[in-house]
Amino acid sequence: RGVQAHRLCPPRGAGSSLEPEERSMEPPAVPEEEEEEEEGAVPLSMAPGPVGCQLFGYVGIEAVLDQMKIKTMKTGFEFNIMVVGQSGLGKSTMVNTLFKSKVSRKSSQPGQEERIPKTVQLQSITHVIEEKGVKMKLTVTDTPGFGDQINNENCWDPIIKYINEQYERYLREEILITRKRKIPDTRVHGCVYFVPPTGHWLRPLDLEFMRRLSKIVNVVPVIAKADTLTLEERAEFKQRIQEDLKTHAISVYPQEDFDQDPEDRALNDRIREKIPFAVVGADQEHQVNGKRVLGRKTKWGIIEVENPAHCEFPLLRDLLIRSHLQDLKDITHNVHYESYRVRRLNESNRPG
């Protein structure tokens, strides 16, 4: 009967039938070649991703970049930088040189002679800088007199407290039920540490500060007033600083652990070879070969700040503004702030 029913069943696609087609309960036989292929097949979770689809016409996906650019130009963005070092190392002048505008704390009160305090008193000044339609809300935090005292024990506490307070302020806004569409960002994205041009090893104060601060913020060390050193002294001093940082396991920006692809690693390796940057700051222009340049005038000539043959200020400017500004903000948010956020939430969830 099974054979007759099978013969009477119309072929598939030949019309509808009231009687269902008989099917065997045994699994269909698999050819030996297919079995061998299935044994060596890649599991679904390990299969490669989807292959790019070939477009046969213009879609307009690239217009997303234009949309992002227009939106950024309308809303602007925020960048917060901190400068740390002893009095008289040119921190305010360096900030003015970086952004080519009077953004330091000295220029906040024109016409008044400002007396630099001898204790660590943090001062933050916010300016809005616009260039070619792009607005940037820049906040400069200065730490006048850091390390000037005879007893500098725990002199980094106010700086660490200030950085953590900015993380705490952002966290409180973020965990609100009805929070703002755009949370004001006052977190420190980069800290430029000014090393005095002694030509010797790093001081224990410098090592301890960078060791503590590199865990919570991006630290970029620079040799201040590098024009006081000869080229040989500068190279030897830089090599000693690099050895000190490696010996004490101090990770300065750009950190090797956060390189995402080979191109970033190659670029950051070249930057790490130059750190700390030997910089010279100047906010006055001078006439050199018929051109107006920023520089420092001496008896022997003019030290051009933006000339790579004279100092490494262009490398610092490119790192902070032209090539790694967004990366500084991303690492601050995804690494330093995230670690602070996890620690604070774990503390609040502990019983008692």
Side-chain angles (χ1 to χ4, degrees):
R1 290 181 181 177
V3 175
Q4 291 179 354
H6 184 68
R7 288 177 179 176
L8 292 175
C9 181
R12 186 171 298 176
S16 61
S17 175
L18 296 178
E19 296 182 9
E21 180 182 358
E22 274 193 15
R23 300 193 180 188
S24 174
M25 299 298 293
E26 299 179 1
V30 181
E32 294 181 2
E33 296 181 357
E34 293 183 8
E35 288 181 353
E36 293 178 359
E37 290 178 1
E38 288 182 1
E39 290 179 0
V42 180
L44 183 60
S45 60
M46 298 176 60
V51 184
C53 182
Q54 184 69 28
L55 303 179
F56 51 84
Y58 179 74
V59 178
I61 300 176
E62 64 177 3
V64 176
L65 299 177
D66 296 332
Q67 299 173 29
M68 297 172 62
K69 180 180 179 181
I70 294 173
K71 186 175 181 180
T72 303
M73 292 181 67
K74 287 182 178 179
T75 59
F77 60 97
E78 298 163 324
F79 184 63
N80 308 317
I81 186 173
M82 173 184 281
V83 288
V84 180
Q86 289 181 350
S87 301
L89 290 181
K91 301 185 298 296
S92 303
T93 304
M94 178 59 62
V95 174
N96 291 341
T97 311
L98 272 174
F99 300 97
K100 292 188 176 180
S101 57
K102 302 294 184 179
V103 296
S104 69
R105 60 189 177 92
K106 289 185 178 180
S107 60
S108 61
Q109 298 177 352
Q112 297 182 10
E113 185 176 353
E114 182 176 349
R115 182 167 175 260
I116 299 176
K118 293 300 183 181
T119 56
V120 179
Q121 298 176 3
L122 296 177
Q123 298 180 3
S124 296
I125 298 178
T126 302
H127 299 266
V128 177
I129 304 176
E130 184 174 355
E131 183 182 28
K132 294 184 179 180
V134 180
K135 295 181 180 180
M136 181 176 69
K137 184 180 178 182
L138 173 67
T139 300
V140 179
T141 304
D142 200 352
T143 58
F146 172 80
D148 287 350
Q149 303 299 315
I150 297 177
N151 182 10
N152 292 306
E153 185 177 1
N154 298 330
C155 60
W156 48 76
D157 285 347
I159 301 173
I160 295 178
K161 180 182 178 182
Y162 175 83
I163 296 175
N164 288 331
E165 283 177 354
Q166 311 315 310
Y167 289 150
E168 182 69 22
R169 181 181 300 180
Y170 193 91
L171 178 61
R172 289 178 180 177
E173 291 286 343
E174 192 179 43
I175 62 178
L176 291 177
I177 297 177
T178 56
R179 59 186 181 183
K180 300 177 182 178
R181 186 174 181 181
K182 183 180 180 182
I183 301 176
D185 190 3
T186 60
R187 299 169 297 181
V188 179
H189 301 130
C191 176
V192 182
Y193 186 81
F194 286 72
V195 178
T198 60
H200 304 293
W201 303 92
L202 283 176
R203 300 173 302 172
L205 176 64
D206 301 328
L207 294 171
E208 185 64 21
F209 173 81
M210 285 190 281
R211 185 186 67 83
R212 290 174 179 266
L213 218 61
S214 61
K215 299 177 181 178
I216 61 175
V217 74
N218 300 313
V219 179
V220 180
V222 298
I223 301 175
K225 293 188 175 181
D227 53 333
T228 60
L229 301 173
T230 64
L231 296 179
E232 293 78 9
E233 292 173 344
R234 183 191 304 178
E236 186 177 357
F237 188 35
K238 181 179 295 190
Q239 185 177 1
R240 289 178 178 177
I241 292 176
Q242 292 176 352
E243 293 176 359
D244 281 342
L245 295 176
K246 186 179 296 184
T247 302
H248 294 82
I250 299 174
S251 179
V252 297
Y253 184 85
Q255 300 91 338
E256 295 184 8
D257 299 337
F258 306 146
D259 294 339
Q260 297 181 355
D261 52 57
E263 293 183 359
D264 291 345
R265 181 174 293 275
L267 173 62
N268 292 338
D269 284 341
R270 292 194 297 269
I271 295 175
R272 282 187 282 264
E273 292 176 358
K274 299 291 185 178
I275 286 181
F277 300 120
V279 298
V280 177
D283 51 7
Q284 295 182 357
E285 290 185 341
H286 299 277
Q287 193 81 14
V288 178
N289 297 329
K291 296 181 180 179
R292 302 290 295 179
V293 297
L294 287 172
R296 294 174 61 89
K297 188 175 182 180
T298 64
K299 294 181 179 179
W300 306 274
I302 295 177
I303 302 173
E304 301 177 27
V305 171
E306 297 180 319
N307 189 344
H310 292 186
C311 71
E312 295 176 340
F313 169 80
L315 300 178
L316 175 65
R317 179 197 56 203
D318 293 347
L319 176 68
L320 294 179
I321 301 175
R322 300 187 180 182
S323 62
H324 286 68
L325 189 146
Q326 187 59 44
D327 187 61
L328 284 164
K329 299 181 66 174
D330 292 342
I331 291 180
T332 300
H333 180 76
N334 298 326
V335 179
H336 298 304
Y337 168 71
E338 193 66 22
S339 62
Y340 177 85
R341 173 181 167 274
V342 170
R343 186 174 71 252
R344 286 287 290 115
L345 294 180
N346 286 335
E347 291 175 357
S348 61
N349 291 333
R350 287 176 185 171

